Amino acid sequence: MLLQAERDKLIDEHLFGWDPTPGIVSVWADRLGSAWVWQRIAGQVRCTEDVFCPWLLATTLADLAQLGPSLQPENGQGELDAAVSYRELDGPHDGYRFLLLARPGFALERAIIAGASRRLGRSVQSIHDLDDTYYRVGPVEQYLMASGRVYFRGLVYADLHRLQFDLETTALDPEQGRIFMIAVRDSHGLALTLEAPTARDEARLIQDLCRVIRERNPDIIENHNLFGFDLPFLQRRAELLGVPLALRRAGPPGAQARPADVEHYGDPFRWHRSRRRSRMSIPGRELIDTLDAVRRYDFAARDLPRHRLKDVAKHFGVARPERVYLAGAEVFATYRTQPERVRQYALDDVAEVDSLSQRLLGAPFALAGMAPRRYERLASAGPAMGILEPLLVRAYVRAGAALPRQHAASSDEPDPHAGGALHLYATGIAEQVVKADVASLYPSIMRTYQIGPACDRLEVLLALVDRLTDLRLQHKAAAQAAQPGSLAAGVHTAYQAAMKILINSAYGYLGAGQMALFADRQAAGEVTRRGREVLDQVVAALQERGMALIEADTDGVYFAVPSSWDEARERALVAEIGQRLPVGIRLEFEGRYQAMFSHEVKNYALLTYAGELIVRGVALHSSRVEPFGERFLRQALRCTLRGDVAGVRAAFLATEAALLNQELTVADVASRVRLSKSAETYAETRATHREQHYEALLNAGRTTWSMGERIRVYRGQDGNAVWLPDEHDDHEIGGNWARRDTSNQSTKAELAEPPTAERRDYDVEHYLQVLVSSYASRLRKAFAPADFDQLFRLDLQRGLFDLPIEQIQPLWIRCDTPSDG
């Protein structure tokens, strides 16, 4: 067995790589076997060229049999003696046990495709057509895995040179609109706007942007919805104007674009297609979309109203008090009359992007110092498949060990994987609520009981979970000990957050099935079984002590305590129960709340002692919500949680009156929906199934749109669906609607018209019904049926059996333990 010090060193190599090269800020590699590495050393950037041998993993050599003597075992010296070399890896024969190497790499792929076509008797176009016979990663990942290098070694986030740019356009469609302004900011003090007052100035504007980026030479380029709008719009306008989009970083001295490698420097970009959108890569610079970081944050926190820049900046408190706001459809018209106002508006945008980057990108920055992937990919990757698996693959390739191959499960084979515990004990309103949480339950169980994938022969996953847990606790303690707001505190906080992401993704990776190389559904089932046992133990202990159980979900439980208890008593109870749990399993006091509305499992509202309202779950909060309904519901929830039933009724009556008197605008009643069908797909089903949001676009004359685009629609007075363009930042939704290009036209008439969002031509009766059926109805479980009907009756006539409002009470969830117990 390895000595502990040797084992620790090996695990750290699994986690952080083994090559000590410092300050890497970008890597670019091609399938020829060339790599370019940019380093930031003492504030200066240098680029060096390296070579590597492109590789992939295979389960068989059958598709290379036709090579004959041109296929040879690797000589062990890192040199290739044949067109294609292979290294047989140690491990089972049904796994990826051959490491295939060739320079150039595309020659290897061509040989495999030719051999597979011959073997199968059909034309094979790509290695992807060969199911799971081969496992391949991109050129940059190949280089980083083989070399043991990682990004940012020896750097902190503040060392990076980051640049933000944001386009202001006359329309959202680059075929019909143009760029008239670009705001640019960087972390070295630059803040300016580049402008094109007329259409003939646009080509120069794009050239100026490229020049500024080359002169400032940033490591990172950032914006909000960078991939959904700014880069594709910029690229298309450059194409139409015949302007080279020279944004890449200079390569090493003497580097030349090779004809055989147009994928490299022949083209300035590399586009990556995904389900949701395309992503661009540029040699030498990392492209970061803060929208990805916002989505990742909200996936865990679930507290953002929207993901748009202005909304997120307000949420995080990074918007200036005097920040300029403009309606998206009015930005260019405002520029014609108040250019300085638009300049400040654009500069506020990039300043907020910079602030979001500093707040949300610390963890991806830290992850880039571990996983063998480009920083820009880690900033948007899922932690299980996008981060953990590259770490595991790197460790196995380094050890010369065969990787496991997942086999399709038989249709009659039972699924051994049962999910976590999920219990709803009571609905209604509870006061003085505590949440106790088992810290990182599933990874703690994996660690305590050494439950890992059976196919992980080197036990790398468990070793990583162990090491990450220890390191995270060290960084967490160091962050708490550091001066608040200091550089040290920020560094330790980022690392502990990154490590928490990886630790908590371990179980998800274990249960990922055929998507993951090292998945083990049986092991995942054992983890959740033990997790249910732990939670049952906690619940039983609370019941024995007479607490009012509300909800238990996987690793935590909400319960109400006696009204006379203080926080110290609550914490003591949690600590007492936690002491009886298995060693390695920690029960933590996660929070205390003034009140809780339990609607259904994982759908609830909390009122903190500071008066903050927290709403969780789609039953109480939906992305398709109408603003007027959301405002009413939040006000009604707050009143209900305080036992203020008169306030609930008053909020309902005020909203009803605002609708009846048409005091609300169409912006208040419009709902936001995400388009999941293309125009062509919707046309195929329209005759038999019409959908309001698509009809709204067609009614407005729009015949094309982008899948994934988010739009606002409302029901007009005639019953027809009406599309409502966003009041500001239209480009943040990734849309493609053809707003009229007003770059060479008078805008006086448009300026005289009231903003579209202030119209009031909505169907009042329809939205009165929406108020009751979509919003008030969410409070049904908070009141007895007769009380609910009385509170939310639309007509103003008093019912025969109505109670005085002051006599109505919510349905209380009470603690059975005496207050002094």
Side-chain angles (χ1 to χ4, degrees):
M1 290 184 61
L2 292 173
L3 295 175
Q4 188 60 45
E6 294 175 330
R7 177 175 171 78
D8 289 346
K9 180 176 180 294
L10 180 61
I11 294 171
D12 279 349
E13 288 182 352
H14 293 339
L15 183 55
F16 298 106
W18 52 89
D19 186 286
T21 302
I24 294 176
V25 292
S26 194
V27 176
W28 189 263
D30 60 30
R31 294 189 299 159
L32 290 170
S34 295
W36 285 262
V37 180
W38 286 265
Q39 294 170 266
R40 182 167 287 280
I41 307 293
Q44 301 299 312
V45 177
R46 71 180 186 189
C47 179
T48 56
E49 185 173 2
D50 201 358
V51 294
F52 72 103
C53 195
W55 56 270
L56 57 80
L57 296 164
T59 60
T60 178
L61 296 177
D63 293 332
L64 297 174
Q66 78 278 6
L67 293 180
S70 294
L71 174 66
Q72 293 290 330
E74 186 193 21
N75 62 19
Q77 305 300 315
E79 299 175 359
L80 304 184
D81 297 329
V84 176
S85 296
Y86 68 91
R87 182 191 309 161
E88 188 165 2
L89 304 175
D90 179 52
H93 288 280
D94 61 346
Y96 293 103
R97 63 190 185 99
F98 295 104
L99 180 71
L100 307 180
L101 308 103
R103 189 181 295 120
F106 56 75
L108 170 59
E109 296 177 25
R110 289 173 182 169
I112 290 173
I113 290 170
S117 297
R118 184 178 296 107
R119 174 174 60 86
L120 297 173
R122 59 179 175 82
S123 176
V124 175
Q125 301 299 317
S126 167
I127 287 181
H128 295 296
D129 297 337
L130 298 173
D131 298 323
D132 57 354
T133 304
Y134 300 94
Y135 182 89
R136 180 181 65 172
V137 296
V140 172
E141 285 82 0
Q142 292 176 37
Y143 172 75
L144 292 174
M145 286 181 182
S147 67
R149 292 182 169 185
V150 293
Y151 275 54
F152 306 142
R153 200 182 294 281
L155 298 179
V156 296
Y157 194 67
D159 292 329
L160 298 181
H161 184 181
R162 298 177 298 106
L163 179 144
Q164 302 82 32
F165 80 86
D166 183 61
L167 307 185
E168 300 300 337
T169 64
T170 62
L172 297 182
D173 186 343
E175 305 290 336
Q176 302 192 33
R178 66 176 183 85
I179 306 166
F180 71 88
M181 180 183 290
I182 304 177
V184 186
R185 177 191 176 94
D186 77 0
S187 55
H188 289 182
L190 177 72
L192 59 82
T193 57
L194 307 171
E195 300 175 38
T198 66
R200 62 178 176 272
D201 299 317
E202 187 184 12
R204 173 194 49 76
L205 172 65
I206 296 174
Q207 292 170 341
D208 286 347
L209 173 66
C210 295
R211 174 184 53 78
V212 169
I213 289 176
R214 292 195 305 273
E215 289 175 354
R216 302 297 291 186
N217 198 22
D219 308 318
I220 316 292
I221 295 176
E222 301 172 319
N223 197 27
H224 202 72
N225 203 20
L226 182 70
F227 297 120
F229 179 78
D230 296 272
L231 281 178
F233 196 103
L234 177 64
Q235 184 185 41
R236 183 55 181 154
R237 292 306 300 166
E239 289 174 351
L240 293 172
L241 295 168
V243 177
L245 204 51
L247 298 175
R248 71 174 180 85
R249 220 166 196 167
Q256 299 291 326
R258 297 166 180 161
D261 188 32
V262 295
E263 185 182 359
H264 181 59
Y265 278 117
D267 287 335
F269 312 118
R270 197 179 277 170
W271 281 97
H272 310 278
R273 299 287 173 184
S274 66
R275 275 188 313 160
R276 290 198 301 190
R277 53 182 173 169
S278 297
R279 297 183 180 275
M280 179 188 286
S281 290
I282 297 176
R285 308 194 200 280
E286 305 293 306
L287 302 178
I288 297 296
D289 193 333
T290 53
L291 180 58
D292 292 324
V294 165
R295 286 171 172 161
R296 172 180 282 184
Y297 167 86
D298 199 36
F299 180 79
R302 301 290 186 186
D303 62 356
L304 293 179
R306 294 177 185 173
H307 294 166
R308 301 192 323 168
L309 176 61
K310 274 70 170 177
D311 299 308
V312 176
K314 289 178 181 177
H315 175 85
F316 286 119
V318 299
R320 295 187 311 128
E322 63 275 23
R323 198 257 197 261
V324 174
Y325 293 100
L326 293 171
E330 299 169 4
V331 173
F332 184 67
T334 305
Y335 177 70
R336 299 284 295 269
T337 58
Q338 303 177 64
E340 187 56 38
R341 182 172 173 78
V342 175
R343 292 181 189 117
Q344 188 57 61
Y345 165 83
L347 288 171
D348 284 341
D349 278 356
V350 288
E352 290 176 352
V353 172
D354 176 36
S355 296
L356 288 181
S357 175
Q358 294 182 57
R359 187 179 186 98
L360 299 177
L361 270 298
F365 171 85
L367 289 170
M370 306 178 204
R373 301 194 78 183
R374 296 193 77 192
Y375 169 53
E376 66 181 30
R377 299 293 299 279
L378 292 170
S380 61
M385 303 302 299
I387 303 173
L388 266 182
E389 183 150 297
L391 291 173
L392 293 164
V393 172
R394 179 178 64 188
Y396 269 70
V397 171
R398 167 79 160 165
L403 278 77
R405 176 188 183 190
Q406 291 292 338
H407 297 282
S410 170
S411 59
D412 56 358
E413 181 180 339
D415 184 356
H417 180 212
L422 207 62
H423 303 293
L424 181 67
Y425 296 99
T427 59
I429 307 297
E431 294 179 308
Q432 198 146 345
V433 173
V434 172
K435 184 182 183 187
D437 181 79
V438 182
S440 300
L441 174 62
Y442 288 162
S444 295
I445 288 174
M446 292 174 63
R447 191 185 190 202
T448 299
Y449 298 102
Q450 290 296 286
I451 303 172
C455 57
D456 182 7
R457 296 176 295 107
L458 303 184
E459 297 184 343
V460 176
L461 183 60
L462 283 176
L464 289 177
V465 170
D466 275 344
R467 185 66 172 141
L468 285 164
T469 301
D470 292 340
L471 288 173
R472 185 203 167 209
L473 293 176
Q474 292 174 22
H475 282 291
K476 187 175 181 180
Q480 292 170 345
Q483 182 71 24
S486 67
L487 177 62
V491 170
H492 290 301
T493 298
Y495 271 95
Q496 76 87 16
M499 290 170 178
K500 182 179 180 180
I501 289 171
L502 285 180
I503 292 166
N504 290 339
S505 69
Y507 165 75
Y509 183 78
L510 194 63
Q514 295 180 54
M515 294 188 297
L517 287 178
F518 291 88
D520 187 330
R521 301 295 291 277
Q522 188 167 348
E526 176 64 10
V527 171
T528 54
R529 184 187 71 79
R530 290 187 178 270
R532 292 192 297 273
E533 288 180 350
V534 169
L535 191 61
D536 288 346
Q537 186 175 340
V538 173
V539 166
L542 289 169
Q543 288 176 321
E544 288 173 6
R545 290 158 175 79
M547 300 301 111
L549 294 171
I550 303 169
E551 171 185 310
D553 171 18
T554 304
D555 57 358
V557 57
Y558 285 98
F559 58 95
V561 303
S563 58
S564 63
W565 282 23
D566 59 12
E567 183 175 347
R569 188 77 177 270
E570 295 166 357
R571 287 184 177 275
L573 172 65
V574 173
E576 176 191 345
I577 295 173
Q579 288 175 355
R580 302 190 179 190
L581 297 180
V583 175
I585 308 298
R586 294 180 298 112
L587 185 67
E588 295 182 342
F589 181 92
E590 185 171 288
R592 63 193 304 261
Y593 305 94
Q594 189 178 155
M596 176 178 183
F597 169 39
S598 173
H599 181 269
E600 59 187 64
V601 69
K602 301 181 87 170
N603 289 267
Y604 52 82
L606 299 166
L607 185 66
T608 71
Y609 284 96
E612 178 188 3
L613 179 67
I614 301 170
V615 181
R616 294 285 186 267
V618 295
L620 295 176
H621 176 72
S622 169
S623 61
R624 299 184 63 158
V625 69
E626 291 94 346
F628 87 95
E630 182 178 36
R631 289 195 297 269
F632 157 74
L633 183 59
R634 293 186 71 85
Q635 185 177 357
L637 281 170
R638 189 180 294 276
C639 291
T640 303
L641 288 166
R642 289 174 170 161
D644 178 11
V645 178
V648 175
R649 178 61 177 168
F652 180 78
L653 292 177
T655 306
E656 179 186 32
L659 286 167
L660 287 168
N661 299 328
Q662 291 187 283
E663 297 168 6
L664 303 178
T665 68
V666 293
D668 294 312
V669 301
S671 61
R672 184 177 297 276
V673 295
R674 182 177 180 273
L675 304 180
S676 60
K677 298 178 182 178
S678 67
E680 294 74 19
T681 301
Y682 179 61
E684 294 173 359
T685 60
R686 188 185 182 207
T688 57
H689 179 58
R690 298 204 170 195
E691 299 177 61
Q692 182 190 43
H693 39 292
Y694 298 109
E695 291 301 310
L697 293 176
L698 295 173
N699 292 340
R702 285 189 61 179
T703 57
T704 62
W705 51 81
S706 302
M707 291 178 60
E709 179 182 346
R710 295 183 184 274
I711 65 167
R712 293 187 299 166
V713 296
Y714 67 95
R715 178 166 168 149
Q717 291 172 337
D718 58 1
N720 289 325
V722 182
W723 168 54
L724 179 64
D726 274 321
E727 68 271 16
H728 58 71
D729 275 0
D730 299 301
H731 67 272
E732 290 184 15
I733 61 174
N736 192 33
W737 64 277
R739 182 171 64 229
R740 181 160 54 97
D741 182 357
T742 60
S743 56
N744 291 301
Q745 300 179 36
S746 171
T747 59
K748 292 182 180 179
E750 293 180 36
L751 289 173
E753 296 175 358
T756 303
E758 294 184 8
R759 296 199 310 258
R760 289 169 167 76
D761 57 336
Y762 51 85
D763 185 336
V764 171
E765 289 300 321
H766 169 75
Y767 286 106
L768 285 171
Q769 295 302 319
V770 167
L771 173 63
V772 176
S773 62
S774 294
Y775 296 100
S777 63
R778 303 184 194 196
L779 294 168
R780 188 174 294 278
K781 293 182 181 180
F783 298 96
D787 293 342
F788 176 88
D789 291 342
Q790 178 179 335
L791 286 173
F792 303 113
R793 185 187 302 131
L794 279 173
D795 64 84
L796 301 181
Q797 297 297 317
R798 181 178 172 85
L800 182 62
F801 301 103
D802 282 358
L803 292 172
I805 291 295
E806 58 270 16
Q807 292 185 20
I808 296 177
Q809 289 289 310
L811 294 175
W812 296 108
I813 302 170
R814 300 294 190 187
C815 181
D816 294 333
T817 299
S819 293
D820 57 351

